[in-house]
């Protein structure tokens, strides 16, 4: 079970992988906002062009992306169909099913386009940014905000992702051990869940104490070395592109 | 002056368990000490006092002659502890990040952190794994990673809590080699184990704990004959020398 | 495994730094919520399997109380918003958060907040915990279902059929389990002990 990839990050050496994480996150925001505000066909086309361009330079495997999109495909389809039938308007000319309105279909397609673009942008960003970078970026953005303990949050983020595979392995082992003792024969779902959750919780809580000790043994402190970011000229250029797209869409 | 010294160290848990009792021990610079004892004899609890993770109910710990309570961070830097379960020691998503955890806590400048991480990974031979997820390493490699994480803090004393549990033969050899190398480089080593046959040949001293008390302390060749009284297997056959007790060739 | 054994979990709060302990626990429960999204248990009745993410949200509220429970769930949502695949079946991103099922995700915040708030007030009792869990779940679906209706343009009947009815057996089971667990494990921190 530990094979489940929790990180979409794929290590490569491209412009996007090397890009300053802070600027990358701003680009993510700008492009997602642009997609939400897009209203005209040109907007969608420009956004789609930018995303495809990004996908090409990021050299991400298409297969992984398709997996991402598959889940949304169903939702998108439902929305298009529901909108097409439910939103009143003129029927589509020359189309046999008259209960579908042009307006409804267009609304549905818009929603689909918006969602697709946001999903792709997200895939590009997470595919090219390691979790470590992401955590450092989050810490950097939170730093100026008063009363937000940014280092503590950054530590929580790393710990969460360190713990996931460990807990997962435990869980897998536990479930196999139970299967070996024919847990499937128990039909009561409350019992079944209890057999999973109870040991899972007690094991992980025990682990928490160990982790606290291990971190203290290595002098854990919230006053710690800060990450260094490197910004290239190309990073600024990419940001400029995203800003122009955003302006184009909202103006 | 001993580098680590404990005086009448006693720890009683809130539930009343007396985990260790009146332990007085002096460890000199450069020594290689093996601490043996049956399960539950208090070895781990004792080790956790040496860098202040647990506070004694009674007694005290001195590092370089100074009470540990005076500067606990300094004590933790000087006395590195490699945990019994390496999984619980991993805090980073990549090998390099995990090793950087300690020096980053000490707030070293970023370029120094980088240098010390590189050096520590080289010392344990894990450089080629630096971008790997620690979780995907083998048992032996995980132990080495834990050692690198401690080395990055430049400790003088390194405590190994059961470093061989769960390792296969090559794994034990890998880790043992590393420990002996660290000792040769001048580190003071404290090694907790009940598998004397794997390591005793390298030790200067053998300490045995039993039910929370320190019951034997001396040269391995003297102490070893008493070990079975305290639930630790006596590994020597008739006429065999202590010097043969190692898994290194 | 006997239930009493676990209650006496060694927590040596006197020695270890309480702040660090809280940090670790928050991360741990966030990890559990994420993992809960990947565990599904088949139900004998009905086609919808039970996913455990919301069970762990309830458990988080019971153990961490209001403040740290909310922190943990907020961390979960933020990680998803940043594009890490933490939501059910490995999805992520703003698209999910503001998509049809986004109401349930924001509802988790209300769920953990109300469970944490009610359960950590006053003396521990199973009745109180049960009340907290029921109210929390009502709030969760009170956001989730209308949100689903709005985003998908469904009728009320459709929204209820898609977003509530099939889950009712699961909800009841999960509330039962969470209440039982709250008896076996004591809450970790009450809000008065929490330090910033
Ligand atoms: N947090 C705790 N609360 C209560 N008792 C504890 C706690 N931790 C340890 N003990 C008890 O203290 C005693 C010593 O435990 P310790 O872990 O030091 O043994 P050990 O010698 O390291 O054993 P092992 O070989 O199994 O690792 C045991 O009886 C144990 O049950
Ligand atoms: Mg031990």
């Amino acid at each position: 079970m530990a094979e489940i990839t929790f990180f979409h990050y794929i290590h490569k050496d491209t412009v996007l992988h090397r890009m300053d994480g802070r600027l990358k996150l701003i680009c993510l925001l700008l492009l997602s906002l642009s997609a939400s505000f897009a209203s005209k066909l040109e907007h969608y086309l420009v956004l789609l062009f930018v995303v495809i361009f990004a996908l090409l330079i990021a050299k991400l495997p298409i297969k992984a992306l398709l997996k991402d999109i598959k889940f949304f495909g169903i939702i998108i389809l439902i929305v298009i169909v529901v909108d097409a039938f439910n939103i009143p308007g003129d029927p589509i000319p020359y189309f046999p099913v008259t209960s579908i309105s042009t307006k409804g279909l267009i609304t549905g397609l818009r929603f689909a386009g918006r969602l697709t673009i946001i999903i792709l942008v997200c895939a590009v960003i997470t595919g090219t940014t390691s979790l470590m970078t992401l955590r450092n970026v989050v810490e950097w953005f939170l730093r100026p905000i008063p009363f937000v303990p940014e280092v503590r949050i950054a530590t929580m983020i790393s710990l969460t992702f360190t713990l996931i595979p460990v807990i997962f392995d435990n869980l897998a082992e536990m479930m196999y051990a139970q299967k070996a003792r024919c847990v499937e024969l128990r039909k009561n779902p409350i019992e079944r869940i209890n057999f999973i959750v109870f040991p899972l919780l007690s094991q992980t809580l025990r682990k928490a104490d160990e982790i606290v000790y291990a971190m203290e043994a290595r002098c854990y402190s919230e006053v710690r070395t800060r990450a260094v970011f490197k910004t290239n000229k190309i990073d600024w250029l990419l940001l400029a592109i995203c800003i122009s797209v955003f302006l184009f869409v909202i103006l | 002056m001993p580098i680590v010294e404990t005086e009448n160290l006693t720890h009683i848990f809130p539930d009343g368990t007396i985990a260790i009792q009146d332990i007085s021990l002096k460890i000199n610079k450069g020594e290689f000490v093996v601490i043996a004892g049956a399960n539950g004899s208090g070895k781990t609890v004792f080790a956790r006092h040496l860098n202040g993770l647990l506070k004694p109910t009674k007694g005290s710990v001195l590092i370089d002659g100074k009470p540990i309570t005076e500067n606990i961070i300094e004590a933790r830097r000087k006395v590195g502890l490699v945990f019994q379960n390496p999984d619980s020691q991993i805090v980073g998503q990549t090998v390099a990040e995990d090793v950087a955890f300690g020096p980053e806590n000490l707030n070293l400048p970023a370029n120094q952190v980088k240098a010390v991480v590189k050096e520590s990974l080289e010392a344990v031979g894990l450089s080629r794994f630096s971008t790997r997820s620690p979780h995907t390493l083998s048992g032996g490699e995980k132990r080495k990673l834990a050692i690198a994480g401690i080395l990055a803090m430049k400790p003088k004393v390194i405590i190994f809590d059961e470093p061989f549990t769960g390792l296969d033969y090559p794994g034990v050899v890998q880790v043992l080699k590393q420990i002996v190398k660290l000792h040769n480089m001048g580190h003071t080593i404290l090694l907790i184990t009940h598998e004397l046959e794997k390591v005793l040949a390298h030790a200067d001293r053998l300490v045995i704990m039993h039910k929370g008390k320190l019951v034997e302390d001396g040269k391995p060749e003297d102490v070893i004959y008493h070990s079975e009284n305290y639930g630790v297997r006596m590994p020597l056959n008739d006429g065999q020398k202590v010097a043969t007790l190692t898994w290194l060739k | 495994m006997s239930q009493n054994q676990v209650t006496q979990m060694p927590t040596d709060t006197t020695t270890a730094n309480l702040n660090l302990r809280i940090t670790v626990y928050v991360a741990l429960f966030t990890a559990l919520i994420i993992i809960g999204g990947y565990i599904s248990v088949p139900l004998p009745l009905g086609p919808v399997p039970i996913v455990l993410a919301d069970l762990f949200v309830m458990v988080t509220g019971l153990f961490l109380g209001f403040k740290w429970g909310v922190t943990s769930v907020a961390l979960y949502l933020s990680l998803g918003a940043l594009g890490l695949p933490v939501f059910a079946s490995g999805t992520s991103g703003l698209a999910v958060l503001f998509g049809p099922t986004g109401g349930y995700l924001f509802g988790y915040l209300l769920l953990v907040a109300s469970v944490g708030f009610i359960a950590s007030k006053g003396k521990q009792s199973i009745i109180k915990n049960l009340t907290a869990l029921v109210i929390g779940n009502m709030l969760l679906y009170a956001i989730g279902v209308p949100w689903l209706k709005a985003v998908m343009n469904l009728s009320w009947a459709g929204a209820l059929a898609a977003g509530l009815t099939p889950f009712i057996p699961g909800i009841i089971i999960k509330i039962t389990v969470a209440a039982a667990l709250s008896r076996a494990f004591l809450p970790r921190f009450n809000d008065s002990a929490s330090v910033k």
Side-chain angles (χ1 to χ4, degrees), chain C residues 24-117:
Chain C
V24 172
Y25 273 107
V26 169
L28 202 90
F29 276 95
T30 309
L32 281 174
I33 297 172
I34 295 172
I35 287 175
Y38 287 80
I39 311 175
S40 59
V41 181
L43 269 188
L45 28 133
V48 190
I50 293 187
V51 173
L52 297 187
D54 52 347
L55 173 61
F56 283 112
V57 173
M58 299 178 215
V59 170
T60 303
L62 289 172
F63 293 137
L64 297 188
F66 176 74
K67 181 174 172 188
W68 299 110
V70 170
T71 311
S72 182
V73 173
L75 183 65
Y76 169 70
L77 297 182
S78 321
L79 290 174
L82 281 174
L84 295 164
V86 301
F87 299 144
S89 38
T91 56
S92 67
L94 295 173
V96 186
L97 215 44
F98 294 99
T101 54
Y104 297 102
L105 292 172
F106 285 108
Y108 283 175
L109 269 180
L110 279 188
L111 175 60
V112 78
S114 51
V115 170
F117 185 77

Side-chain angles (χ1 to χ4, degrees), chain A residues 6 82-83 86 126 152 209 216, chain C residues 10 19 21 23 83 85 152-153:
Chain A
F6 281 99
V82 170
D83 277 357
N86 281 359
T126 42
R152 195 170 189 188
D209 286 340
E216 288 208 304
Chain C
N19 269 329
R21 194 165 282 276
T23 306
M152 303 283 279
N153 270 321

Side-chain angles (χ1 to χ4, degrees), chain B residues 39-40 42-45 84 161-162 192:
Chain B
N39 289 142
K43 305 176 301 278
T44 299
V45 171
Q84 197 160 353
D161 193 352
E162 313 263 12
I192 297 172

Side-chain angles (χ1 to χ4, degrees), chain A residues 2 7 11 131-132 135 155 157-162 165-166 169 207 209-228 230, chain B residues 48 51 53-54 73 76-77 81 83 85 87-94 97-110 113 131 135 149-150 153:
Chain A
F7 317 109
H11 190 77
L131 196 71
M132 217 192 309
R135 181 203 61 196
T155 307
I157 297 178
S158 325
L159 273 179
T160 301
F161 284 95
T162 315
V166 178
D169 267 11
K207 188 154 270 124
D209 286 340
E210 280 288 302
I211 292 168
V212 171
Y213 282 133
M215 289 175 75
E216 288 208 304
R218 285 160 80 184
C219 303
Y220 178 68
S221 146
E222 282 176 11
V223 184
R224 52 194 295 114
T225 312
R226 289 178 167 185
V228 192
K230 272 199 296 263
Chain B
R48 288 186 179 179
N51 64 355
L53 291 178
L54 289 174
I73 296 297
R76 284 187 186 150
R77 217 179 53 69
L81 176 59
F83 278 61
N85 175 3
D87 270 333
S88 61
Q89 192 161 345
I90 294 170
V91 289
Q93 266 91 56
T94 64
E97 194 199 348
D98 187 72
V99 177
F101 180 72
E104 280 177 358
N105 288 333
L106 300 174
N107 204 6
L108 300 182
V113 173
T131 56
H135 193 69
I150 295 300
M153 311 194 48

